[in-house]
Amino acid sequence: QDKLNSVNNEDTHMVISCITITDERKTVADLTSPYYIDECTLLVNKNSGISSLNDIMNKKVGTLTGTVSARFLVDELIAEKLIKPENTSNFDVATWNNGLSFFVYDTYDELANLLNCGKIDAILGDKITLTKYITENRQFINKVFAPQHYGILLKKDSQLTAILNKLISKWTEDGTLKQLATDNGLTP
């Protein structure tokens, strides 16, 4: 929400920071065409016994304020038939308690500390972001889900959107984006 406010208040011209393109976000701001596709996953302590979505049932999952990852996890749990479908049209991460509980914090550093002390069982997020928090004692579960198309966030009806879309298209076609991902240890 802070990122949306910063571009709409014209404090910032654009935000390039793992912004997932969603229809909801497009109603209040511009988002470019995707420049990277990532997926959600869960980061857990190696000794937790959690290696799959099935293992996360009845556990405490930490996630960031303002992200859509929690909703994507719930959708995946429903698709995998691990929880029964409920009315998710008014999904609220703060009150959800069907099969697991979410704990919402402002930073991944806070979530990593909570994982260290055992106050949460897993950190939910985009794999690219969670990679920073891999340690010798932490690992990803064996499942990724909900492809995340990242776009650049701009003020609604920004003149820069068309320019950036042309650049993203050019860099996709000539392999620049793929090479940047590869050079930085990412799977394009």
Side-chain angles (χ1 to χ4, degrees):
Q1 190 64 38
D2 289 341
K3 295 171 187 174
L4 283 170
N5 289 338
S6 73
V7 296
N8 284 328
N9 294 336
E10 298 184 16
D11 295 333
T12 305
H13 292 290
M14 69 183 80
V15 177
I16 307 172
S17 174
C18 300
I19 305 290
T20 302
I21 300 168
T22 66
D23 290 338
E24 180 183 7
R25 289 178 177 159
K26 285 195 248 182
T27 64
V28 294
D30 278 4
L31 285 149
T32 64
S33 51
Y35 62 86
Y36 186 78
I37 300 172
D38 196 9
E39 294 175 296
C40 291
T41 193
L42 293 157
L43 182 66
V44 298
N45 287 322
K46 286 182 179 177
N47 64 358
S48 68
I50 301 169
S51 62
S52 69
L53 287 180
N54 191 54
D55 299 331
I56 203 67
M57 300 310 300
N58 300 310
K59 302 291 186 193
K60 297 175 279 189
V61 177
T63 190
L64 281 189
T65 304
T67 66
V68 294
S69 300
R71 174 60 190 262
F72 293 146
L73 176 57
V74 166
D75 290 345
E76 188 67 20
L77 293 172
I78 291 169
E80 296 280 330
K81 298 183 179 0
L82 293 171
I83 60 175
K84 292 180 181 177
E86 288 191 0
N87 181 0
T88 58
S89 62
N90 293 322
F91 176 80
D92 182 1
V93 67
T95 60
W96 185 265
N97 63 3
N98 180 7
L100 58 107
S101 301
F102 291 106
F103 292 80
V104 182
Y105 287 86
D106 292 329
T107 69
Y108 281 110
D109 289 339
E110 289 175 290
L111 293 171
N113 287 335
L114 292 168
L115 186 63
N116 285 344
C117 350
K119 296 201 186 244
I120 61 173
D121 301 298
I123 301 173
L124 170 64
D126 297 345
K127 192 170 185 179
I128 191 173
T129 305
L130 292 179
T131 299
K132 173 183 174 186
Y133 296 93
I134 289 280
T135 66
E136 64 183 40
N137 298 318
R138 294 186 193 137
Q139 64 188 12
F140 291 122
I141 65 165
N142 60 12
K143 175 78 173 178
V144 292
F145 53 93
Q148 308 291 300
H149 294 79
Y150 294 155
I152 300 170
L153 179 70
L154 303 113
K155 180 181 178 182
K156 191 76 174 158
D157 301 321
S158 171
Q159 294 177 354
L160 293 174
T161 306
I163 295 166
L164 290 169
N165 279 334
K166 285 180 186 174
L167 288 170
I168 290 168
S169 178
K170 176 184 178 284
W171 294 334
T172 299
E173 289 173 16
D174 72 13
T176 298
L177 291 176
K178 185 176 182 178
Q179 189 59 52
L180 282 169
T182 303
D183 291 350
N184 287 284
L186 304 172
T187 305

